[in-house]
């Protein structure tokens, strides 16, 4: 517990709502990571699906992010968040439980797996928007960075341990029991969410769904700090996914590394993300929020650019993979710094009635570039060769990582100051529809 700062200790000890929500989010994170690994595995082992079918099952889980993020923001702004947390956790658990039953009965089909992936992906979108919108309602502003640091740390641990746990469970118990364990994690998340008290819907005036979604987008894009955060997140995720796609091709075709070795190198990067998440609040307090945010992105880009730089030298496999892993640790540390403060800022700047809309709009831009990045990485590797493509993507990422250097956010000392920056002039459309920030 020594690495946890005092604010986190106080939150976990004295803030019951935060403790319950974080416990549920931890269970949901591990359940999601198990699911992301489990569904394609079911397709390969139980259904003997083709590569296209396996790819479809993986992709279907993330399509709802693009299609439904804005709808989720509208729902979260209209209805009590506890209801959303509980219902979406129960839906995910039920979908996995039904898959386990179908597998045990010997009647599992590819259509059922695809349908389950779509249902789980949809529920995840609503759950994540609700969770990220509720945090600033139960945590004091001066502790939000620490709370988000703990959230990011939990996510990093689940990324590192989730697939390994899924593989172990499948190998020891089989697919159906593993589905049951994953469903139990989501049931635990639902139970923790049901313990939330005293947080109600913001009471947003009812209007048509399209008007509500449109006004939320306009509000988000009307504020320079939020617009800059959305842009940087989208550009960063585009390059991160593009780089990882190229790196996989580069490592296999030009370096002769196997999948396990590549996975270990990338997975160790989660250690950097874990450490960065836990120390982000301290770094922000010492060097200001603006500096931690802007230089975190640059550090993430430098970490990835170190990968092709290391590969230039003729090194043994063990040394090469070790240096790759260290490069990904640097990248993970930088990504964690950015994520902690980006999430904290988008929770701090908007008024309560716009938290859902801002969260949904941000996620749409930030995560919507992931499929494009994967496609672009493959296309570049084919067109230019993976060795040249990995340098181009890395250099391009370094260039766009300086985007926030031209934003007023770079000078923000604290979250409170960043909130003031976000209270600048708004468009007439948004100013007339929403109360001012209290």
């Amino acid at each position: 517990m020594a690495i946890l700062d005092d604010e986190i200790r106080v939150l976990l000890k004295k803030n019951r709502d935060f403790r319950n929500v974080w416990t549920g989010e931890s269970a949901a994170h591990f359940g999601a990571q198990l699911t992301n690994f489990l569904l394609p595995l079911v397709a390969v082992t139980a259904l003997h699906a083709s590569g296209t079918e396996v790819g479809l099952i993986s992709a279907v889980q993330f399509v709802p992010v693009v299609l439904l993020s804005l709808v989720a923001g509208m729902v979260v702004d209209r209805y009590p968040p506890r209801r959303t947390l509980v219902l979406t956790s129960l839906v995910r658990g039920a979908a996995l439980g039904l898959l386990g039953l179908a597998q045990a009965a010997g009647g599992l089909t590819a259509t059922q797996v695809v349908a389950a992936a779509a249902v789980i992906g949809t529920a995840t979108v609503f759950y994540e928007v609700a969770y990220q919108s509720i945090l600033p309602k139960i945590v004091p502003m001066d502790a939000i960075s620490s709370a988000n640091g703990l959230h990011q740390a939990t996510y990093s641990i689940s990324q590192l341990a989730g697939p390994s746990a899924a593989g172990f469970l499948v190998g020891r118990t089989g697919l159906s029991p593993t589905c049951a364990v994953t469903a139990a994690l989501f049931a635990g998340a639902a139970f923790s969410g049901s313990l939330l008290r005293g947080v109600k819907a913001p009471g947003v005036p009812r209007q048509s769904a399209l008007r509500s979604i449109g006004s939320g987008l306009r509000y988000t894009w009307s504020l320079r700090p939020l617009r800059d955060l959305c842009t940087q997140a989208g550009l960063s995720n585009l390059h991160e996914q593009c780089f990882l796609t190229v790196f996989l091709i580069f490592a296999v075709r030009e370096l002769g590394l196997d999948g396990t070795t590549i996975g270990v190198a990338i997975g160790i990067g989660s250690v950097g993300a874990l450490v960065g998440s836990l120390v982000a609040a301290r770094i922000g307090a010492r060097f200001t929020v603006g500096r931690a945010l802007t230089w975190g992105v640059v550090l993430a880009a430098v970490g990835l650019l170190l990968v092709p730089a290391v590969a230039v030298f003729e090194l043994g496999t063990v040394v090469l993979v070790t240096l790759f892993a260290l490069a990904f640790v640097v990248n993970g540390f930088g990504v964690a710094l950015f994520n902690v403060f980006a999430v904290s800022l988008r929770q701090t700047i908007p008024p309560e009635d716009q938290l859902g809309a801002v969260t949904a709009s941000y996620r749409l831009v930030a995560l919507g570039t992931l499929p494009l990045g994967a496609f672009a990485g493959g296309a570049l590797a084919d067109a230019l060769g993976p060795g040249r493509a990995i340098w181009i993507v890395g250099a391009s990422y370094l260039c766009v990582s300086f985007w926030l250097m031209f934003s007023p956010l770079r000078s923000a000392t604290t979250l409170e100051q960043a909130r003031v920056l976000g209270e600048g002039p708004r468009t007439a459309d948004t100013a007339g529809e929403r109360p001012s920030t209290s």
Side-chain angles (χ1 to χ4, degrees):
M1 295 288 290
I3 195 170
L4 297 180
D5 59 35
D6 292 337
E7 289 176 344
I8 283 295
R9 295 177 186 176
V10 171
L11 284 174
L12 291 175
K13 184 177 181 179
K14 297 184 177 181
N15 192 323
R16 184 179 62 181
D17 282 337
F18 174 74
R19 186 168 62 247
N20 288 331
V21 169
W22 174 72
T23 300
E25 172 71 354
S26 299
H29 265 325
F30 277 97
Q33 291 300 319
L34 285 168
T35 302
N36 291 342
F37 182 85
L38 184 61
L39 293 184
L41 185 63
V42 168
V44 173
T45 59
L47 303 177
H48 305 290
S50 66
T52 300
E53 290 173 329
V54 174
L56 176 63
I57 290 170
S58 297
V60 162
Q61 297 180 72
F62 303 104
V63 170
V65 173
V66 178
L67 298 181
L68 297 174
S69 285
L70 298 179
V71 177
M74 177 193 67
V75 170
V76 168
D77 282 336
R78 290 187 177 190
Y79 300 102
R82 182 177 67 171
R83 184 187 306 174
T84 304
L85 294 176
V86 172
L87 287 178
T88 53
S89 296
L90 290 176
V91 166
R92 289 188 286 182
L96 282 160
L98 290 174
L99 277 185
L101 290 175
Q103 169 63 19
L108 190 63
T109 65
T111 301
Q112 290 172 331
V113 178
V114 170
V119 170
I120 292 169
T122 298
T124 298
V125 170
F126 283 82
Y127 181 93
E128 289 294 332
V129 172
Y131 170 80
Q132 294 182 16
S133 298
I134 204 174
L135 201 61
K137 301 175 185 179
I138 61 176
V139 174
M141 183 183 297
D142 59 359
I144 283 183
S145 293
S146 295
N148 282 315
L150 185 60
H151 163 77
Q152 290 293 327
T154 305
Y155 181 71
S156 299
I157 293 172
S158 67
Q159 277 190 316
L160 190 61
S164 299
F168 175 81
L169 287 171
V170 170
R172 289 297 183 91
T173 66
L175 292 174
S176 292
T178 304
C179 286
V181 170
T182 310
L185 286 170
F186 287 123
F191 176 74
S192 293
S194 70
L195 299 176
L196 185 64
R197 295 289 184 269
V199 181
K200 300 179 180 179
V204 180
R206 293 299 178 94
Q207 53 185 326
S208 69
L210 288 177
R211 181 173 175 79
S212 178
I213 291 171
S215 62
L217 275 173
R218 287 192 297 273
Y219 174 83
T220 303
W221 209 249
S222 70
L223 300 185
R224 172 74 185 276
L226 293 178
R227 187 168 67 244
D228 289 343
L229 280 177
C230 281
T231 302
Q232 182 67 79
L235 290 172
S236 296
N237 281 341
L238 174 73
H239 283 80
E240 289 272 348
Q241 189 62 47
C242 187
F243 187 93
L244 289 176
T245 303
V246 175
F247 173 70
L248 180 62
I249 300 171
F250 173 72
V252 172
R253 294 182 181 175
E254 298 204 2
L255 301 181
L257 301 179
D258 57 46
T260 301
T261 303
I262 297 169
V264 168
I266 295 175
I268 290 176
S270 297
V271 175
L274 172 62
V275 175
S277 300
L278 293 175
V279 303
R282 298 177 186 177
I283 292 176
R286 182 173 182 178
F287 297 104
T288 77
V289 167
R291 290 178 181 175
L293 179 79
T294 53
W295 286 105
V297 189
V298 175
L299 187 63
V302 170
L304 291 189
L305 198 54
L306 289 174
V307 171
V310 167
V312 168
F313 302 97
E314 295 183 2
L315 303 170
T317 300
V318 174
V319 175
L320 183 63
V321 172
T322 301
L323 293 177
F324 281 167
L326 291 175
F328 283 115
V329 166
V330 174
N331 169 258
F333 187 89
V335 168
L337 281 184
F338 172 77
N339 282 342
V340 167
F341 290 109
V343 173
S344 299
L345 287 168
R346 79 166 189 256
Q347 291 170 335
T348 302
I349 292 174
E352 182 178 313
D353 67 311
Q354 285 294 338
L355 282 171
V358 169
T359 300
S361 301
Y362 183 95
R363 284 173 59 83
L364 175 64
V365 175
L367 303 181
T369 58
L370 291 175
L372 179 59
F375 176 79
L380 282 173
D382 286 341
L384 305 176
R388 183 178 299 176
I390 198 169
W391 275 107
I392 292 175
V393 177
S396 176
Y397 188 12
L398 183 61
C399 291
V400 303
S401 70
F402 290 98
W403 177 270
L404 287 180
M405 296 293 181
F406 304 96
S407 169
L409 285 172
R410 75 187 185 282
S411 62
T413 303
T414 62
L415 291 178
E416 179 62 39
Q417 186 180 2
R419 184 178 188 178
V420 173
L421 290 173
E423 293 177 344
R426 304 175 186 176
T427 62
D429 192 13
T430 57
E433 294 176 354
R434 281 156 189 78
S436 60
T437 306
S438 58

